[in-house]
């Protein structure tokens, strides 16, 4: 069964940076578009960014455009979310999954932006 493990979250001050990583196993990772999602407190899960299977196409939610960068390493079955200039409203649990949410959800990684 496919497994997803996110890591890299933490507590950071506004304006700070974090890099999240996601490792996927037992899955045809290199042929699948991948996405990062987040779930803020008391809100629904939302799409943050998507990267095509070959890495050449990237899309972002308007709220993170220009601040977040998604990437992937198909040799390692990993995807990364570089987050810069973090804002309080970026506080959430962050998850990765396919662009169609077909993988079992991982435990996520908590990002807290606070002064």
């Amino acid at each position: 069964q496919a497994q997803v493990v996110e890591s890299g979250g933490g507590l950071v001050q506004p304006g700070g940076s974090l890099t999240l990583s996601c490792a996927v196993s037992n899955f045809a990772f290199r042929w699948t578009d991948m996405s990062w999602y987040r779930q803020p407190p008391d809100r629904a899960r939302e799409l943050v960014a998507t990267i095509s299977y070959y890495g050449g196409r990237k899309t972002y939610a308007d709220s993170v455009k220009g601040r977040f960068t998604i990437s992937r390493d198909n040799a390692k079955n990993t995807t990364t979310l570089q987050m810069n200039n973090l804002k309080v409203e970026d506080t959430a649990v962050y998850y990765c999954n396919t662009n169609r949410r077909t993988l079992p959800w991982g435990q996520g990684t908590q990002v807290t932006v606070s002064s």
Side-chain angles (χ1 to χ4, degrees):
Q1 184 178 356
Q3 187 175 17
V4 178
V5 179
E6 301 95 346
S7 61
L11 173 64
V12 63
Q13 293 184 341
S17 298
L18 281 175
T19 301
L20 307 183
S21 294
C22 171
V24 184
S25 58
N26 301 321
F27 182 69
F29 182 87
R30 66 175 57 243
W31 303 115
T32 306
D33 295 356
M34 294 297 297
S35 297
W36 281 92
Y37 302 82
R38 66 185 181 187
Q39 186 164 15
D42 301 321
R43 289 171 56 185
R45 197 168 296 178
E46 60 188 28
L47 177 65
V48 174
T50 298
I51 185 167
S52 61
Y53 69 95
Y54 60 96
R57 185 169 181 268
K58 304 175 184 180
T59 58
Y60 300 91
D62 287 343
S63 58
V64 307
K65 206 171 291 184
R67 300 188 297 121
F68 290 12
T69 302
I70 188 172
S71 61
R72 66 189 296 158
D73 185 337
N74 285 344
K76 297 181 179 179
N77 282 14
T78 59
T79 178
T80 298
L81 187 68
Q82 173 66 44
M83 307 186 297
N84 298 325
N85 190 21
L86 282 160
K87 303 178 180 181
V88 172
E89 51 264 40
D90 294 319
T91 295
V93 180
Y94 284 73
Y95 303 87
C96 75
N97 208 311
T98 70
N99 64 322
R100 298 185 179 183
R101 309 187 182 198
T102 54
L103 290 169
W105 291 99
Q107 82 288 350
T109 186
Q110 175 70 49
V111 172
T112 303
V113 185
S114 175
S115 55

